[in-house]
């Protein structure tokens, strides 16, 4: 008999195992607005798709897309986002959950999700529920420059802010190991300032270089993918959940001949040797199931006691539906009693001024006429 | 010699293996160890046959365990049970129905409306804790009980419903997202509960509903009366908000589909494929939760969940210009079975305009016909019952095909229709015009107009005019709540009597406000949206409406409760408005800094140099010839040139 558990139970079991089971969390962020930045959304969605294919569930993924490309009115094929020309692969799919979309993708929200400082009413799907056993993959794509990444064409996040956010995460024990991938122009500048341990970073281009897009599609009219992510996706398509490929293979993705820019990586903060780190440590998730042959007795289902008329007095009154437009009732509706508020600051100040001027001009002896 | 040694080796091997086998058998009788018994076959087969019954017995043992609760319950039944009602199997407390209505429209488009209804005999107001969810989705049940919600209506729409071309929809909805909620009387702080509820719903439906806050929430005083059972209507417990900018895409459809009992695996939900649904002129999905009467004498209430999806497919975009529609053409799927959990699963095709099959041809033919009074008119429908196996025929799949033969015939003009637009020029002032058309030839009826305008359009209420047929039309009820900057929007509710066959125009002037530079969206030149106006009306109907809601009635006719037979209730939404606010130049700070620094550097620098530098006269260096001459002169001892 196999014991099936849901996510939360596995979470509890995993605390016993330190190395064998890892809860993986992911974050894909696309930070660009407008239709011509279609490729950034396609980048994020293709990484999302690979990660889901390799076993990470939606509850462990936070996907932030700054603009809607799939249902954009300019999209000739609605509800689809393609990554290859000739429209081969729809990375949007049928089962996608975007957690932050549109105007919600801001630097503030991004940093709040990373550090966990969210308002208490934020739903679980919008939080990064990680602990010190979790490996986190962060993938950012968009427009960037030397030391910054542009969000929504109106604000930027700098590499110093990002490094500080990761340090906060380290101090709050929010990650075990972190893999940071960035696909923007001059991407290597974003990981220059990291100083927290256990971070490995990859970028699509060095400082002073631009990351280029891959290929336009003439039917859709925009570039579909960036080069680095295109070859990264090709590489990930060959990975399956039991694959033994390690990080050194990932560093070799997209050499200069294919990418035109020079991808870079940084491993000095990482404690393990990159050759011993499996790709599936970050990109995939294998649920450990425990097979047992014992029989488990399920408790009896809770008997729902019917609180019908047998139990007390029967309801005498009949319920009824409400009149949707009760004209006479509306016409004779009394105005709502508004709550009385004490006079506001402005009115109070105005009256004080009037009284002061009055007493100044006419003297205090007139007070007795008032009171 | 090799042969005897070999045979001795073989014997030793055999004995060794047998002893190992015996040892293993005595330790753990697990099925996996049968592999070791390879050479000695007879004991092995005996052991195998010995094992299989025990294995099978073990499998049967689990089955027996499962039936034990039933037996125990049956035993319990024998005992006298005085008060509480306990039965052998708990009675099914929820019921699921699904239906699809297809209405061919006169413009050649086709309108499909899905309704999935779960009725659950429970009452959250009693305070009893519910722990067993069968068909009703647990996420919504927990939301209702936690936030003490009496009624919840949420809709996501892409596109605008064109009343004049398509008629009246079965379930109206405004573009974008709309959420209105009636809370229970027990809620003390309605605003805080509303804020938490919007956040939770944004997580459930993957929508940015967390943008709903006090700046776009209103408390209507007369519109949006509860659609379900209610004993009091204190409008303090009602909240209404719209997000006209909200996009609807697959990420909203996916969690919506997951709320259905059969998901998207069986029944009518199989047809809901996003690539086809979003390639349409109008797409609207909604969730409506309300308490309804359980049976005819309405003594008890049950909770009803309706999930509706309305879609209009365009003749040219999806139909390739051919007036021929089928389930496969619309949804790229055909139906193979009804949802096994559904008590009824039907498809209705509106054939009222086609009594002799002269307008269009319907195949496969069905002899089931049903009449229903909906939207004030008696319509005839051909019915396909998916719970009957015969519907699917020999090919085991149902693909309803509607082929048009002639394109004649006019559409019945809808009785009520509303439009809205902005007049004026420039970026300072403007005027909102709302037009309401009453197309009834001789009857007039009252209409309740609800307008919620954001605070950055400062309305001048003294310029409000309501005119019908050129004359002033004084509304019998006006409720106006002025806005508060950055806190509250404007709310205007008016009850207007529309004279027959007329256009009523409501105009109001406004002034645009300048926002703080952090309040602008990343793309402010797109404009700012103003939510749709809501026109609620009791429209006179041509046939007597059915005031009793029974189970046999199709779902689309029982959404709005009718109190009297001569009129029916509809809601019409106008277009949302897109308004340009005066937008500052966001590159201005950068430009100003550059320019100022340049001017300061050039001006101050030059002035500083002029004031603080001292000037010395310097002789120019002499030419080469003169220098050589000076050198020769120095050698001679003569003074230089």
């Amino acid at each position: 008999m196999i014991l099936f558990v849901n996510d939360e139970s596995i979470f509890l079991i995993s605390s016993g195992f330190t190395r064998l089971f890892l809860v993986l969390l992911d974050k894909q962020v696309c930070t660009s607005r407008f239709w011509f930045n279609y490729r950034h959304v396609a980048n994020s969605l293709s990484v999302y798709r690979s990660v889901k294919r390799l076993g990470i569930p939606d509850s462990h993924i936070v996907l932030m897309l700054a603009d809607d490309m799939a249902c954009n009115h300019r999209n000739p094929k609605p509800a689809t986002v393609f990554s290859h020309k000739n429209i081969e692969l729809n990375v949007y799919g049928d089962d996608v959950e975007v957690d932050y979309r549109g105007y919600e993708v801001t630097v503030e929200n991004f940093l709040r999700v990373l550090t966990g400082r969210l308002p208490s009413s934020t739903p679980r799907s919008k939080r990064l529920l990680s602990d010190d056993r979790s490996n986190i993959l962060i993938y950012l794509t968009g427009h960037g420059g030397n030391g910054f990444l542009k969000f929504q064409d109106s604000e930027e996040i700098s590499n110093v802010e990002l490094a500080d956010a990761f340090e906060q995460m380290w101090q709050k024990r929010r990650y075990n190991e972190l893999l940071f991938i960035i696909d923007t122009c001059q991407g290597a500048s974003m990981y220059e300032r990291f100083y927290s341990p256990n971070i490995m970073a990859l970028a699509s281009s060095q400082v002073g270089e631009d990351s280029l897009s891959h290929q336009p599609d003439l039917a859709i009219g925009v570039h579909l993918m960036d080069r680095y992510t295109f070859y990264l996706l090709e590489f990930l398509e060959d990975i399956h959940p039991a694959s033994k490929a390690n990080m050194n293979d990932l560093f070799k993705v997209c050499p200069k001949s294919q990418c035109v820019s020079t991808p870079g990586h940084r491993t000095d903060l990482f404690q393990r040797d990159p050759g011993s780190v499996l790709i599936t440590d970050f990109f995939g998730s294998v649920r450990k199931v425990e097979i047992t042959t014992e029989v488990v007795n399920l408790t009896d289902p809770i008997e729902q006691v019917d609180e019908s008329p047998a139990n007390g007095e029967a309801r005498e009154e009949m319920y009824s539906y409400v009149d949707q437009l009760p004209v006479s009732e509306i016409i004779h509706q009394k105005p709502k009693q508004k709550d009385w508020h004490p006079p506001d600051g402005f009115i109070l100040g105005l009256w004080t001024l009037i009284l002061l001027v009055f007493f100044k001009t006419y003297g205090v002896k007139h007070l007795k006429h008032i009171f | 010699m090799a042969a005897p040694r070999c045979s001795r080796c073989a014997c030793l091997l055999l004995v060794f293996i047998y002893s190992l086998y015996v040892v293993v058998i005595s330790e753990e009788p697990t099925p996996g160890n049968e592999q070791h018994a390879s050479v000695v076959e007879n004991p092995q087969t005996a052991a195998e046959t010995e094992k299989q019954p025990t294995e099978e017995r073990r499998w049967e043992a689990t089955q027996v365990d499962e039936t034990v609760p039933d037996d125990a319950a049956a035993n319990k039944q024998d005992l006298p049970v005085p008060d509480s009602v306990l039965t052998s199997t708990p009675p099914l407390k929820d019921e699921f129905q699904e239906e699809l209505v297809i209405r061919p429209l006169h413009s050649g488009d086709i309108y499909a409306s899905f309704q999935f209804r779960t009725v659950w005999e429970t009452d959250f107001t009693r305070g009893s804790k519910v722990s067993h969810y069968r068909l009703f989705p647990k996420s919504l049940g927990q939301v209702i009980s936690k936030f003490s919600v009496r009624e919840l209506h949420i809709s996501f729409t892409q596109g605008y419903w064109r009343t004049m071309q398509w008629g009246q929809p079965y379930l109206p909805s405004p573009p974008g997202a709309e959420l209105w909620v009636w809370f229970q009387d027990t809620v003390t702080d309605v605003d805080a509960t509303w804020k938490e509820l919007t956040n939770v719903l944004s997580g459930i439906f993957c929508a940015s509903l967390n943008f709903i806050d006090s700046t776009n929430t209103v408390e209507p005083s007369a519109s949006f009366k509860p659609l379900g059972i209610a004993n009091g209507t204190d409008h303090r417990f009602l909240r209404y908000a719209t997000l006209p900018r909200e996009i609807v895409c697959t990420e909203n459809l996916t969690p919506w589909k997951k709320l259905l009992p059969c998901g998207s695996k069986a029944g009518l939900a199989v047809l809901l494929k996003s690539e086809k649904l979003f390639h349409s002129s109008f797409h609207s999905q909604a969730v409506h939760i309300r308490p309804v009467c359980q049976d005819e004498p309405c003594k008890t209430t049950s909770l009803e969940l309706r999930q509706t999806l309305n879609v209009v497919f365009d003749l040219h975009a999806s139909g390739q210009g051919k007036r021929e529609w089928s389930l496969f053409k619309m949804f790229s799927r055909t139906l193979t079975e009804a949802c096994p959990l559904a008590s009824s699963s039907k498809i209705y095709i509106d054939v009222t305009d086609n009594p002799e099959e002269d307008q269009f041809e319907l195949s496969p033919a069905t002899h089931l016909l049903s009449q229903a009074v909906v939207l004030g008119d008696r319509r005839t429908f051909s019915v396909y019952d998916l719970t009957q196996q015969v519907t699917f025929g020999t090919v085991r799949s149902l693909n309803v095909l509607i082929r048009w033969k002639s394109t004649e015939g006019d559409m019945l003009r809808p009785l009520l229709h509303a439009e809205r637009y902005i007049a004026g020029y420039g970026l300072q002032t403007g005027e909102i015009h709302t037009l309401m058309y009453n197309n009834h030839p001789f009857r007039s009826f009252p209409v309740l107009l609800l307008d919620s305008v954001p605070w950055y359009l400062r309305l001048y209420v003294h310029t409000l005019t309501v005119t019908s047929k050129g004359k002033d039309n004084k509304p019998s009820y006006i409720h106006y709540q002025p806005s508060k900057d950055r806190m509250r929007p404007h709310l205007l509710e008016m009850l207007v009597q529309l004279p027959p066959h007329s256009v009523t125009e409501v105009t109001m002037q406004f002034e645009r406000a300048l926002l703080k530079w952090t309040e602008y969206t990343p793309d402010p030149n797109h404009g700012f949206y103003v939510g749709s106006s809501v026109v609620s009306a009791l429209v006179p109907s041509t046939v007597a409406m059915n005031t009793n809601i029974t189970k046999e009635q199709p779902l689309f006719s029982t959404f709005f409760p009718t109190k009297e037979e001569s009129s029916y209730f509809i809601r019409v939404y106008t277009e949302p408005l897109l308004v340009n606010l005066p937008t500052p130049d966001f590159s201005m700070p950068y430009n100003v800094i550059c320019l100022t620094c340049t001017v300061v550097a050039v001006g101050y620098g030059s002035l500083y140099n002029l004031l603080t530098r001292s000037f010395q006269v310097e002789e120019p260096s002499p030419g080469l010839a003169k220098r050589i001459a000076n050198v020769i002169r120095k050698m001679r001892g003569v003074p230089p040139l």
Side-chain angles (χ1 to χ4, degrees), chain B residues 15-246:
Chain B
V15 168
F16 178 68
I17 286 170
Y18 189 70
S19 62
L20 205 72
Y21 180 74
V22 165
V23 161
V24 156
I25 291 293
S26 60
E27 270 178 8
E28 283 168 25
T30 48
N33 289 328
E34 289 169 350
Q35 302 161 7
H36 294 286
S38 49
V39 182
V40 185
E41 283 187 318
N42 286 336
Q44 188 208 7
T45 47
E48 257 181 18
T49 47
E50 204 184 4
K51 259 190 213 43
Q52 270 165 6
T54 56
E55 264 180 71
E56 274 161 21
R57 258 186 273 134
R58 215 177 281 131
W59 283 115
E60 279 171 25
T62 57
Q63 283 167 16
V64 166
D65 280 342
E66 278 168 8
T67 55
V68 159
D70 274 347
D71 289 338
N75 289 336
K76 276 187 204 160
Q77 206 181 15
D78 298 335
L79 302 168
V81 182
D83 288 334
S84 46
V85 180
L86 284 171
T87 48
S88 57
T89 50
L92 292 174
K93 289 183 129 196
D94 41 17
E95 193 198 357
F96 176 65
Q97 295 165 298
E98 53 177 20
E99 75 172 29
L100 163 63
V101 183
I102 297 183
R103 186 165 99 190
L105 302 168
H106 278 264
S107 51
D109 308 325
I110 194 152
Y111 169 39
S113 171
F114 291 82
Q115 281 210 37
F116 302 93
R117 178 185 188 233
T118 309
V119 183
W120 191 25
E121 288 168 32
T122 183
D123 195 359
F124 281 106
T125 54
R126 297 267 185 84
S128 53
K129 282 201 71 93
V130 181
S131 55
H132 180 63
Y133 290 86
R134 198 177 78 102
L135 297 176
F136 200 90
K138 185 174 173 186
S139 51
L140 288 180
Q142 287 180 328
V143 162
I144 295 170
S145 60
K146 182 168 180 212
F147 297 108
S148 309
V149 166
R150 194 166 66 183
E151 276 193 31
L152 185 130
H153 302 271
I154 184 167
S155 74
F156 297 97
T157 311
Q158 178 203 59
Y160 174 66
W161 182 268
R162 298 172 199 286
T163 315
M164 292 308 276
Q165 288 161 317
W166 299 338
Q168 294 284 0
Y170 296 123
L171 293 135
S173 51
E178 184 202 39
L179 171 66
W180 58 282
V181 173
W182 274 93
F183 289 97
Q184 307 272 11
D185 302 346
T186 52
V187 174
T188 44
D189 190 353
V190 182
D191 288 315
T193 321
W194 168 253
K195 187 85 190 102
E196 281 185 36
L197 176 66
T198 51
N199 276 325
V200 166
L201 289 175
S202 83
I204 295 178
F205 291 106
C206 279
S208 34
L209 296 175
N210 45 320
F211 284 135
I212 292 179
D213 54 5
S214 64
T215 58
N216 47 20
T217 309
V218 290
E219 200 184 296
S221 64
S223 311
F224 291 102
K225 295 257 184 258
L227 285 174
I229 309 282
N231 39 8
T233 56
D234 186 354
H235 279 262
R236 278 186 298 134
F237 296 103
L238 168 65
R239 292 289 185 273
Y240 173 82
T242 49
L243 289 173
R245 187 94 198 247
E246 191 65 20

Side-chain angles (χ1 to χ4, degrees), chain A residues 1 33-34 58 67-68 70-73 75-80 90 92-104 109 119 121-123 125-126 152-154 293 295-297 300-311 315-327 329-333 336 338 344, chain B residues 62 65 69 76 83-86 93 126 128-129 131 158 196 199-200 202-203 206-208 210-211 219 221-222 225-230 233 245-252 254 257-258 273-275 278-279 290-293 297-301 446 448 476-477 479 481 495 521-523 536-538 549 561 563 569 571:
Chain A
M1 195 169 93
R33 182 155 274 275
F34 305 122
D58 268 313
D67 201 1
D68 173 52
C71 289
N72 197 318
H73 297 295
N75 193 347
K77 292 190 170 27
T80 58
N90 174 17
Y92 199 59
D94 226 2
D95 186 17
V96 59
E97 272 180 39
V98 182
D99 303 301
Y100 286 85
R101 57 184 204 162
Y103 297 130
E104 291 179 296
N109 280 347
S121 50
T122 317
S125 59
K126 287 187 163 176
Q152 300 257 23
D153 213 27
S154 67
T293 50
V295 173
V296 172
N297 280 325
D300 284 330
I302 300 167
E303 297 280 352
Q304 298 245 297
V305 176
D306 227 354
E307 291 171 17
S308 343
N311 230 3
R315 273 209 76 96
E316 286 304 327
E317 30 186 295
M318 272 178 44
Y319 290 107
S320 62
Y321 289 100
V322 178
D323 202 355
Q324 289 299 305
L325 196 66
V327 178
E329 201 186 294
I330 290 172
I331 293 175
H332 298 113
Q333 205 167 341
K336 260 193 325 196
K338 279 209 160 151
D344 220 346
Chain B
T62 57
D65 280 342
K76 276 187 204 160
D83 288 334
S84 46
V85 180
L86 284 171
K93 289 183 129 196
R126 297 267 185 84
S128 53
K129 282 201 71 93
S131 55
Q158 178 203 59
E196 281 185 36
N199 276 325
V200 166
S202 83
C206 279
S208 34
N210 45 320
F211 284 135
E219 200 184 296
S221 64
K225 295 257 184 258
L227 285 174
I229 309 282
T233 56
R245 187 94 198 247
E246 191 65 20
I247 311 152
V248 186
C249 210
T250 314
E251 66 256 19
N252 305 113
T254 310
K257 282 198 283 190
K258 284 185 184 160
K273 289 293 157 197
S274 55
E275 279 125 17
F278 291 104
H279 197 50
R290 58 176 181 164
V292 292
C293 287
C298 208
K299 296 276 176 74
T300 43
T301 62
L448 192 60
S476 30
Y477 171 79
H479 172 73
Q481 192 185 49
L495 185 67
T521 54
D523 50 353
S536 321
L538 270 177
I549 296 180
K563 280 276 185 177
F569 178 78
R571 215 171 256 145

